[in-house]
Amino acid sequence: MNTVIFACTQNAGRSQIAAAFFNLLADPAKARAISAGTQPAERLHPEVLATMKEMGVDLGDAKPQRLTPELVKSAQIVVTLGGLPDVPVVADQKREDWPMIEDTAGKSAAEVEKIRDMTAAIVSDFVNRNGWERPQ
């Protein structure tokens, strides 16, 4: 079983979106995703909750968590969203940086929808590239 961490700054938007889509698309016997932030917020951005709910994904119970060295060690792959300079490093761990995914903080609902849709497409490609698709 592979664990993927999606990491951003506040863990209140884009990394939560990425982990949610990953867990919907990936075969849970092959991989799972969690999300974390280097400076976690108190709660998810309201626009993120609303735009994900539109897609049938309820993130109401999700809570931002800190990206700790222990958490990083528990994963096989760390995906940073927006470039994070202070992510703990683990030798031989696979890393990817997705700088094209914008922060959702302070964005309008329409802007968050665009970020959500872009994130869904990139996560879908990532799941497919790694052969983790759910069985039909």
Side-chain angles (χ1 to χ4, degrees), residues 69-101:
E70 295 76 29
L71 190 60
V72 170
K73 287 178 191 173
S74 74
Q76 287 68 49
I77 302 173
V78 174
V79 178
T80 60
L81 308 174
L84 294 177
D86 45 355
V87 174
V89 175
V90 174
D92 300 323
Q93 184 178 60
K94 186 176 177 190
R95 299 273 177 131
E96 288 193 24
D97 183 37
W98 297 352
M100 71 294 281
I101 299 179

Side-chain angles (χ1 to χ4, degrees), residues 21 64 115:
F21 279 124
I115 293 167

Side-chain angles (χ1 to χ4, degrees), residues 6-17 35-49 52 59 62-65 103-105 112:
F6 289 99
C8 67
T9 305
Q10 294 185 338
N11 190 220
R14 58 191 159 174
S15 60
Q16 293 278 355
I17 292 169
S35 66
T38 55
Q39 300 169 18
E42 289 185 31
R43 61 184 130 330
L44 272 62
H45 302 293
E47 296 81 9
V48 169
L49 292 170
M52 291 301 286
L59 292 178
K63 305 240 184 302
Q65 68 174 328
D103 194 346
T104 57
V112 172

Side-chain angles (χ1 to χ4, degrees), residues 106-123:
K107 299 285 195 299
S108 69
E111 291 169 314
V112 172
E113 284 179 18
K114 288 178 186 173
I115 293 167
R116 175 202 64 199
D117 295 346
M118 173 189 269
T119 303
I122 294 169
V123 167

